[in-house]
Structures are given as C-alpha cells and as structure tokens.
Amino acid sequence: MLTVHHLGISQSERIVWLCEELNISYQLVKYERDPITGLAPETYKALHPYGTAPVITDGDITLGESGAIIQYIIARYGENRLIVDSKSPHFPDYLYWFHFANASLMASSMVEMAFSSITEIENNGILKIFQERSLRAFLMIEERLSSNRYFAGNEFSAADIMMFFPLATMRCFISRDISKYPSLKKYLKSISERPAWQRAKEVADPDLQLKLN
C-alpha cells in the first residue's frame, strides 16, 4: 500500500495534499521534529539514504524527492490527473513552475534561511545574490498570478502543489513580506480554501498557523 511518511512542517505536506486532491487511498505515518534541533528524528532519516522529507514507500519501493514522488503517484495512482497535456499551450508553463519551485525558489530560500541567524555576514555578497534571486522570483510570481488563476493557466495542477510550499509553509522558517504582492495573496487564500488542502492540513499539520498574507 502507498505510505506517505510525513515529517511535521516539511515538504512532505505536498504529498499528503496530492493524495487528497486525487482522492486516492494512502497510509499516513507522521514523524515529529526533534524539539531541540528542529531536525527530523533518526527514524525518519533512516527511511531513505538521503535522509530528508518527503519519502514514500509503496511495496518494495522507497522514493524520495517531491517532484519524483508527485510524478510517480500521478502516473501510478492518479490516472495522470493534475498534469497538463503536452499539446496544451500551458504545457511549458506547467513544466517551468513545477521545476522552478525546488530547483530555484527553494534553493534561494534555503540559502537565505541558512544565513539568517548569522548577523555578522549581513553584507555578505553571496547572501545578497540569493536575496536578489528571491526578489526576482516573487516579482515573476506576482506577474504570473496577476493574469492567471494558477501557475499553469486557469486550471489547478501539480505545479501549484509544488509551488505552495515555498510561498507559504517555508515562511515559517524565513520571514518574507508579501504585502506588495496582491495577486499572490489572493492565490494563497484561494488555495487555502480548497477542500483537499484543508483535509491534508488537518491530518498532517493541524496546529500549523500558516502565513497566507
């Protein structure tokens, strides 16, 4: 049976949400972060050689990495729902934002988070580069959402599941003011009203107070 191993407040929330959107059967196993370090417990790290969330198991298969897991579940259990057809004019947009979420946006955010507690490197050139990348990213996102309901056009897709974490949950780890991005704020509110998202939050992180504005 498909098992989603969910580490509290982590990218594995995407996988719980995906299963709820697809309305497929899955088993949820929850793991709490270490109360002192905030890191995953050893039991979670032992699931996969890389030791990070998300991880799923499916029979003899153990799979990590958000994008890979989402593609696997959609293909094997989701009848290819939530992807954009290659013949659609929005197919390139789907591909771009699906991969942009972790390859670019999460990368710059992780660097910012790593530097955030080191006050003496406030003027560090490397940090500034990634701060500027994040700024460009959010300007791109605002422009995209000002003319499209979702990242791959006007239909919800797996690209939205990938993008939501760095836009919302990641802000539990790194502060980011989005008051100047009205289209993004509208988008986050719309996502938070989706029944599948609400179900996923209730089973995965019911006490998490997300910053949606």
Side-chain angles (χ1 to χ4, degrees):
M1 182 178 184
L2 177 65
T3 301
V4 179
H5 298 271
H6 174 59
L7 174 64
I9 317 178
S10 80
Q11 296 182 65
S12 56
E13 72 175 28
R14 290 168 167 152
I15 314 306
V16 183
W17 179 18
L18 173 68
C19 291
E20 293 293 339
E21 288 284 353
L22 294 173
N23 194 28
I24 61 174
S25 298
Y26 68 101
Q27 179 183 15
L28 179 66
V29 180
K30 297 174 66 174
Y31 302 76
E32 298 301 326
R33 292 178 177 272
D34 184 288
I36 298 175
T37 66
L39 300 176
E42 293 302 317
T43 49
Y44 198 95
K45 294 177 182 178
L47 291 169
H48 189 276
Y50 199 55
T52 61
V55 175
I56 63 166
T57 50
D58 189 19
D60 295 332
I61 296 170
T62 299
L63 188 62
E65 201 62 42
S66 294
I69 293 171
I70 288 175
Q71 288 183 292
Y72 174 89
I73 291 175
I74 287 175
R76 183 154 291 189
Y77 293 100
E79 300 175 337
N80 289 321
R81 287 173 288 158
L82 299 184
I83 65 173
V84 175
D85 189 274
S86 61
K87 296 179 181 179
S88 166
H90 292 293
F91 180 61
D93 300 314
Y94 170 78
L95 289 178
Y96 180 81
W97 293 106
F98 185 92
H99 292 283
F100 180 82
N102 271 19
S104 298
L105 184 53
M106 276 297 294
S108 60
S109 296
M110 291 293 286
V111 171
E112 289 184 85
M113 184 178 74
F115 281 122
S116 63
S117 61
I118 310 176
T119 56
E120 61 267 25
I121 61 167
E122 182 177 353
N123 296 316
N124 183 278
I126 299 294
L127 174 59
K128 284 188 174 181
I129 288 172
F130 283 93
Q131 287 176 328
E132 289 171 358
R133 286 186 181 182
S134 293
L135 176 59
R136 290 201 304 271
F138 275 79
L139 290 172
M140 285 171 51
I141 289 163
E142 178 65 18
E143 181 178 2
R144 178 67 182 168
L145 295 176
S146 68
S147 56
N148 294 273
R149 185 177 180 185
Y150 298 108
F151 281 99
N154 291 318
E155 297 294 330
F156 179 84
S157 74
D160 298 289
I161 292 177
M162 286 294 293
M163 284 294 294
F164 186 81
F165 181 88
L167 296 177
T169 311
M170 189 62 186
R171 289 164 55 217
C172 294
F173 301 97
I174 178 170
S175 177
R176 194 178 304 281
D177 181 11
I178 64 167
S179 60
K180 296 180 180 179
Y181 307 118
S183 298
L184 172 57
K185 290 170 62 177
K186 180 180 178 181
Y187 169 82
L188 294 177
K189 182 177 184 297
S190 173
I191 292 294
S192 71
E193 292 171 350
R194 293 183 68 84
W197 183 89
Q198 293 177 351
R199 292 195 303 270
K201 183 179 182 302
E202 183 61 29
V203 298
D205 293 295
D207 299 324
L208 177 62
Q209 299 297 316
L210 282 180
K211 299 176 181 179
L212 299 176
N213 52 47

